[in-house]
Amino acid sequence: MPPFAFSNWPPSLSEDQLQELTLIATSYALSHGLLYLPVAAKQPPAPSSAIHAPLSLFPSPFPRQLFEQAQKLQHIYNTLYARIAMDEDFLDEVMGAVDGVGAVDEFVGQLWKGWKQVRDEDAVPLQLGLFRSDYLLHSTSDPPSLKQVEFNTISSSFGTLSDRVAGLHRYILFANGYYDSSPHLKAENFPPNNTTAGLAQGLAAAHEAYNVPGSSVLFVVQPGERNVFDQRWLEYELLERHSIKVIRQTMSDLAQTASIDLNTKVLTIKTATLSTPVEISTIYFRACYTPTDFPDSAAYELRFLLERSRAIKCPSIPLQLAGGKKVQQVLCQPGILERFLTPADASTSSFSQEDISELRASWMYMWGMDLNGDEGVEKALTNHGKLVLKPQREGGGNNVYKASIPPFLRTLDASERQAWIAMELIEPPEGLGGYLVRAAGPEQQRREHEGEQADKVVRADVVSELGIFGWALFGLGKVNRDEEVGWLVRTKGKDSDEGGVATGFSVLDSLVLV
């Protein structure tokens, strides 16, 4: 077989084949829960319709060796971020509201202040991290190398839907062989993806460690969530495979239903549909990662109330802070990785220098905007065409790219610079294409109703981002258990800087290993 060329992907299809493939893919998605709620001014309490999630018709090519490297690195990352979350001094220095990012970023500062008050009251119990490490291929070398985009410690989404889109692509392979359009489209090149089971395994491990019969897992969710099915599949997996019940609540719900026993720190939920209060073993946050989740001081106080409970948090506030972009940048500094991965305590497991070097090799060059007075800003102004600026935010749509950087930097005063980092842009392979399918919007639906053919599939030059999932259960200075549990791929048009599916930039995808 000749060497793989990214510029030759995807294989060519006739118009009839493309239409048939779109029908097969969308039908499979609707039949197998690869779903979103449709856009609405306000989501109804009981949804009556759904649309398929945005998806790619072909899996995206990815070098087998680099995929396996990303899986291997996940175990190191699981331990690294667990240890960061347990290092109060480090987080105080980097993210704190005295000298760290929290001094100039109100959201980070509020979280840090609440955490400091809570930790002064009692020891931190076990914590759970459901993680996702995101990567792009960097094409400045031949073959390309693996480079990390970011590491996610809160609300790492699309695990269950990525499981299903991998199943979709495997189904097409078995159903029609993708019309024999490429020798690379073979079963042995489609890696298994069991992310749903893997993430549920992490939540189940936390629930079992809490060890109170009859307790439940609490999902803290955002109101009007369109990506609800990605969460529901985890709920179903927990009940059907582990006999663990889930309670879903928004922060506004919890303001009415949550209470904590001041002596035992037991968190209970009491709703109109529950005959008796239910004790909570584990709190899984699919909300509280953005300032809009905290409209007033009462919302922050509620978050700190949850943190005070003896329920295992996923994530805890320190683990959420550990996912800050400033932490990612500080880790690049000499000696910081060794602090966490080769600790002086002989009873704590260490990683080899080879492991540490491999981890460092997956990073792009980063620096803080507060570097040496004006030096950080001057470097960013000089090199802005090859940079992205990142704040301490999750959820997509927050970064500043290339030509937008100079005018943006002029709006920052010296104190605000500490909240931003600069990262050299990863350069993905040129010429890679894909067929991207989104559910018809209101205008397309109107045209279809009137008998016109609405375009649902778009051929575009694309960039594909790989995410590797993992989890760690840890606390009181020790990582009890960690696992690498699956992956996702998000593919976007090459002209789009951002990569979020929920924010409308990307489609869900899977892999063909080359």
Side-chain angles (χ1 to χ4, degrees):
M1 187 183 299
F4 182 82
F6 286 94
S7 58
N8 291 336
W9 198 264
S12 298
L13 296 180
S14 70
E15 188 61 34
D16 288 342
Q17 289 173 330
L18 186 59
Q19 289 185 14
E20 182 179 64
L21 202 62
T22 303
L23 175 61
I24 292 171
T26 55
S27 297
Y28 183 99
L30 292 167
S31 301
H32 289 78
L34 183 51
L35 300 174
Y36 250 34
L37 290 181
V39 176
K42 183 179 181 181
Q43 293 293 344
S48 58
S49 64
I51 59 175
H52 68 78
L55 55 89
S56 172
L57 290 184
F58 279 84
S60 285
F62 205 90
R64 186 183 303 271
Q65 180 182 0
L66 297 184
F67 175 67
E68 293 171 351
Q69 177 187 348
Q71 290 179 306
K72 174 189 172 184
L73 289 177
Q74 189 61 38
H75 287 285
I76 309 174
Y77 274 119
N78 291 342
T79 298
L80 171 63
Y81 276 86
R83 289 177 178 171
I84 291 171
M86 293 185 287
D87 193 323
E88 295 178 358
D89 291 341
F90 177 80
L91 286 175
D92 286 349
E93 179 183 351
V94 177
M95 301 295 284
V98 178
D99 300 313
V101 169
V104 296
D105 185 307
E106 182 180 1
F107 177 55
V108 172
Q110 288 274 21
L111 291 177
W112 181 85
K113 290 174 185 176
W115 169 51
K116 188 174 188 308
Q117 182 179 356
V118 169
R119 80 187 194 219
D120 288 344
E121 296 172 3
D122 205 351
V124 177
L126 283 176
Q127 306 177 49
L128 175 69
L130 295 189
F131 302 131
R132 197 187 71 226
S133 185
D134 294 334
Y135 302 93
L136 289 172
L137 294 176
H138 190 44
S139 62
T140 57
S141 59
D142 187 18
S145 57
L146 185 75
K147 295 295 182 181
Q148 188 186 58
V149 178
E150 64 181 0
F151 191 87
N152 302 275
T153 64
I154 184 169
S155 189
S156 302
S157 59
F158 293 109
T160 68
L161 295 193
S162 68
D163 197 329
R164 279 151 184 79
V165 79
L168 159 64
H169 289 154
R170 187 173 289 274
Y171 171 77
I172 295 173
L173 177 70
F174 292 155
N176 65 18
Y178 278 98
Y179 312 107
D180 297 321
S181 57
S182 170
H184 297 282
L185 293 167
K186 298 185 295 185
E188 57 265 34
N189 295 334
F190 283 53
N193 193 1
N194 300 305
T195 308
T196 305
L199 293 176
Q201 177 193 48
L203 290 165
H207 176 83
E208 291 162 8
Y210 189 84
N211 195 28
V212 173
S215 60
S216 296
V217 172
L218 171 65
F219 282 21
V220 183
V221 300
Q222 293 175 322
E225 174 66 77
R226 293 184 60 217
N227 190 28
V228 64
F229 300 101
D230 183 53
Q231 302 166 11
R232 288 290 190 183
W233 281 116
L234 269 182
E235 176 184 338
Y236 305 150
E237 183 79 9
L238 284 169
L239 183 61
E240 294 167 6
R241 298 293 179 90
H242 302 277
S243 300
I244 299 171
K245 295 180 180 179
V246 168
I247 296 174
R248 291 174 58 86
Q249 297 266 280
T250 64
M251 289 289 280
S252 58
D253 292 333
L254 289 169
Q256 306 299 319
T257 63
S259 61
I260 291 179
D261 185 294
L262 295 179
N263 294 317
T264 65
K265 301 295 181 68
V266 167
L267 172 66
T268 55
I269 303 296
K270 180 66 173 76
T271 72
T273 58
L274 295 171
S275 57
T276 58
V278 173
E279 184 170 346
I280 298 302
S281 68
T282 306
I283 308 172
Y284 176 43
F285 286 98
R286 290 295 291 257
C288 299
Y289 56 84
T290 175
T292 56
D293 288 329
F294 297 90
D296 52 36
S297 60
Y300 281 104
E301 290 305 315
L302 174 59
R303 175 65 186 88
F304 305 148
L305 182 75
L306 297 177
E307 193 75 12
R308 283 186 175 89
S309 77
R310 66 179 291 256
I312 296 171
K313 271 71 68 176
C314 179
S316 64
I317 292 177
L319 185 55
Q320 181 174 347
L321 293 173
K325 305 303 183 291
K326 187 65 177 179
V327 170
Q328 185 184 14
Q329 177 251 309
V330 171
L331 286 173
C332 295
Q333 297 174 2
I336 301 298
L337 265 184
E338 286 78 4
R339 170 176 176 170
F340 294 106
L341 297 181
T342 57
D345 184 354
S347 66
T348 304
S349 61
S350 295
F351 291 89
S352 68
Q353 190 56 53
E354 181 181 353
D355 290 332
I356 293 173
S357 297
E358 191 172 2
L359 202 70
R360 277 205 177 99
S362 70
W363 295 340
M364 299 298 289
Y365 180 49
M366 287 175 265
W367 68 88
M369 287 297 92
D370 56 342
L371 176 67
N372 298 333
D374 293 333
E375 182 181 343
V377 170
E378 293 302 322
K379 286 177 66 174
L381 290 172
T382 302
N383 301 285
H384 67 268
K386 296 183 178 181
L387 298 179
V388 54
L389 298 187
K390 296 183 177 184
Q392 316 305 306
R393 293 290 180 272
E394 302 298 332
N398 300 301
N399 298 334
V400 181
Y401 293 85
K402 298 180 181 179
S404 300
I405 290 175
F408 173 77
L409 286 176
R410 285 192 281 270
T411 69
L412 294 182
D413 61 37
S415 65
E416 293 173 313
R417 295 172 183 174
Q418 191 170 1
W420 290 82
I421 71 162
M423 186 177 98
E424 288 188 344
L425 284 169
I426 304 168
E427 299 180 26
E430 293 286 341
L432 178 66
Y435 292 105
L436 313 183
V437 185
R438 290 183 173 86
E443 177 59 24
Q444 289 174 312
Q445 293 170 357
R446 181 194 63 77
R447 289 165 55 198
E448 284 186 332
H449 182 71
E450 294 175 357
E452 298 181 41
Q453 178 62 44
D455 296 328
K456 294 183 180 180
V457 57
V458 175
R459 168 66 166 84
D461 289 339
V462 299
V463 174
S464 293
E465 184 173 311
L466 170 68
I468 302 292
F469 287 98
W471 62 265
L473 184 65
F474 60 96
L476 302 178
K478 179 182 177 183
V479 179
N480 298 53
R481 183 180 171 190
D482 88 278
E483 300 285 348
E484 175 269 310
V485 295
W487 50 271
L488 70 75
V489 179
R490 292 169 297 172
T491 293
K492 63 183 180 181
K494 196 171 187 298
D495 293 334
S496 173
D497 288 321
E498 295 289 352
V501 178
T503 46
F505 299 109
S506 299
V507 304
L508 294 172
D509 201 348
S510 77
L511 294 178
V512 55
L513 300 179
V514 296

